[in-house]
Amino acid sequence: MSRALRRPGPREATGLAALLAVGVGLALVVGSVDMPTFTGIDQVPLPGGADLGDHPYEVTAEFGDVLSLAPQSSVKVNDVAVGRVTGISLTPGSWTAKVTMRVNGKIKLPANAYAHLEQSSLLGEKYVQLSPPAEGTARGALADGDRIPLARTNRNPEVEEVFGALSMLLNGGGVAQLKTITTELNKALAGQEPQIRSMLSRVDTLVTNLDDHKEDITQALDGVNRLAATLATRKQDVGTVLTGLSPGLKVLEKQRGSLLTMLRSLDTLSDVAVDTINKSKADMIADLKALAPTLRALADSGDDLPDSLQVLLTYPFTDEVLRGVKGDYLNVYLDVTAMPGTQIIPALDPDAPAAGLDGRTSALPLPLPSVTTAGTTPSATPGGGPGATPSAPAETPGGTPATTPESEATTR
């Protein structure tokens, strides 16, 4: 059954006109308060939108793709509406989209804040989410007229993109490969559960230690970075050094055979030296033991030996030495000991009388040697006087002059 259209009556027309007038007036009032110019009904804020306050500020963000974002969409911080999108346009001279937003003046954000294009639900509206940077990296404050560059903006994947990726995975994509990977993993890990558990425990310990030393690792990487920067500034010097090393390396390469022969000879020499030391070890120990009394006697002499050597090496003696001499004579006492088995010829008999020039007997030691002076002939007497018959020193059967057990000489 059809119903014919009828023309509204005078009372209904009056009501519709009044309602239209009120709507237009409300739109004009809102536009005059919140917008600089009114260009269409899309500039009217949606019911339940964010309160911009008395002093909102305007910022812009560049997006590679705004998808289906529309003007008057919400601007949120931590999912709380703090502003709205006032305009979407293309950036002049570029293919990126510029989104203009007005944010409540009471909301303070860092100047390096991020802008993300997100969706409230699977089929919900899209909005712009403003988020601060990582902790400790914030700087400045976002002010009126600031711009968020393309490097700090991003968007969530669309439902169509998710379904497309899922379709690719299910329709001959990676499911078969996942099944193969799972089967092979089961085969590889079967019966190796304790080892895998131990490996995972060690990996957990390793990761924990790495996390505890992350500052040290960071410092090490910074040091490597500084080293690389230093090497980069001295690239020419490094190149010169490497170029200079090339001839030396070539010479080493040519003499490689000689070097190997030398190393083998050193190995043989070390074996011979070790064998020689091992064989002569007993003799060396015996020599050291025989040398021990001599060294002990030298140690017992103390400072006497160095002092006497200092005096002996200054003969004739210096005035400093002579000051210690009392009187006109310097007496020297020599104690001479004959070697064991030495035979004195003629044999000395202390009890046998010896005849002198006056016929008297006297016990004298061996005759003194002759003394030669200018203008005289060599002569010697038992007493050393003139007219004595020469006598030669007594000799042993081997031709060696005999040595008296003890003699005393006085020098004037």
Side-chain angles (χ1 to χ4, degrees):
M1 181 177 180
S2 62
R3 184 177 181 181
L5 296 175
R6 66 181 183 87
R7 181 179 298 176
R11 183 175 297 178
E12 294 175 351
T14 303
L16 290 174
L19 182 60
L20 181 60
V22 171
V24 172
L26 180 61
L28 291 175
V29 170
V30 173
S32 63
V33 173
D34 195 38
M35 304 288 183
T37 56
F38 181 76
T39 59
I41 195 66
D42 59 340
Q43 291 188 351
V44 178
L46 297 176
D51 182 16
L52 299 182
D54 297 333
H55 302 285
Y57 59 92
E58 187 174 272
V59 295
T60 59
E62 294 183 3
F63 287 91
D65 187 357
V66 293
L67 302 176
S68 59
L69 183 69
Q72 303 304 322
S73 297
S74 299
V75 177
K76 297 182 180 182
V77 175
N78 292 333
D79 291 332
V80 178
V82 297
R84 60 174 177 264
V85 177
T86 59
I88 301 174
S89 62
L90 283 175
T91 304
S94 175
W95 292 101
T96 59
K98 182 177 71 172
V99 177
T100 306
M101 299 168 286
R102 304 194 75 186
V103 183
N104 192 320
K106 297 180 181 180
I107 304 301
K108 303 301 181 182
L109 292 170
N112 56 344
Y114 288 81
H116 302 274
L117 187 58
E118 299 183 1
Q119 197 167 353
S120 59
S121 63
L122 188 61
L123 299 176
E125 66 170 351
K126 291 181 174 57
Y127 61 91
V128 177
Q129 180 85 266
L130 298 179
S131 59
E135 185 178 357
T137 60
R139 62 176 185 274
L142 199 62
D144 186 52
D146 286 350
R147 181 179 66 89
I148 300 176
L150 185 63
R152 296 204 303 270
T153 61
N154 200 352
R155 69 176 183 88
N156 283 351
E158 286 284 273
V159 177
E160 294 84 356
E161 296 173 351
V162 175
F163 284 161
L166 183 60
S167 175
M168 182 181 296
L169 177 64
L170 297 178
N171 297 328
V175 175
Q177 289 80 358
L178 287 176
K179 181 180 179 181
T180 303
I181 292 172
T182 305
T183 303
E184 295 299 328
L185 283 176
N186 289 333
K187 292 180 180 179
L189 301 180
Q192 304 292 332
E193 290 82 2
Q195 290 81 354
I196 299 300
R197 189 178 295 107
S198 177
M199 182 193 70
L200 293 177
S201 176
R202 290 195 296 269
V203 169
D204 180 67
T205 303
L206 173 63
V207 173
T208 303
N209 292 333
L210 290 177
D211 183 69
D212 294 339
H213 294 83
K214 59 185 177 182
E215 295 183 359
D216 299 335
I217 295 173
T218 302
Q219 293 177 359
L221 293 177
D222 293 339
V224 172
N225 185 25
R226 290 193 297 270
L227 176 61
T230 303
L231 291 177
T233 56
R234 300 181 179 180
K235 181 169 58 177
Q236 185 175 0
D237 298 336
V238 174
T240 303
V241 171
L242 294 177
T243 304
L245 283 176
S246 180
L249 294 176
K250 291 180 180 178
V251 173
L252 289 177
E253 177 64 23
K254 291 180 180 179
Q255 298 181 354
R256 180 171 176 270
S258 301
L259 292 175
L260 292 176
T261 304
M262 181 189 69
L263 293 176
R264 294 192 186 98
S265 301
L266 287 176
D267 186 27
T268 306
L269 177 62
S270 65
D271 295 338
V272 173
V274 171
D275 183 64
T276 303
I277 292 174
N278 290 334
K279 290 182 178 179
S280 62
K281 180 171 63 175
D283 297 337
M284 186 178 297
I285 293 174
D287 294 341
L288 293 176
K289 289 181 178 179
L291 190 61
T294 303
L295 297 178
R296 190 177 299 108
L298 288 176
D300 294 339
S301 65
D303 296 335
D304 297 338
L305 180 61
D307 294 341
S308 63
L309 291 177
Q310 290 178 4
V311 174
L312 290 175
L313 294 178
T314 58
Y315 181 84
F317 303 128
T318 60
D319 295 339
E320 189 67 26
V321 176
L322 294 177
R323 288 193 187 97
V325 178
K326 304 301 181 181
D328 296 334
Y329 295 91
L330 181 63
N331 298 327
V332 178
Y333 298 94
L334 300 177
D335 293 336
V336 180
T337 303
M339 292 292 294
T342 303
Q343 183 180 5
I344 300 176
I345 299 176
L348 178 61
D349 186 4
D351 298 331
L357 296 175
D358 53 359
R360 292 180 297 178
T361 61
S362 61
L364 293 176
L366 293 177
L368 295 176
S370 60
V371 178
T372 304
T373 57
T376 62
T377 59
S379 63
T381 63
T389 58
S391 62
E395 295 185 357
T396 61
T400 304
T403 305
T404 61
E406 183 176 353
S407 63
E408 178 181 325
T410 303
T411 306
R412 184 175 181 176

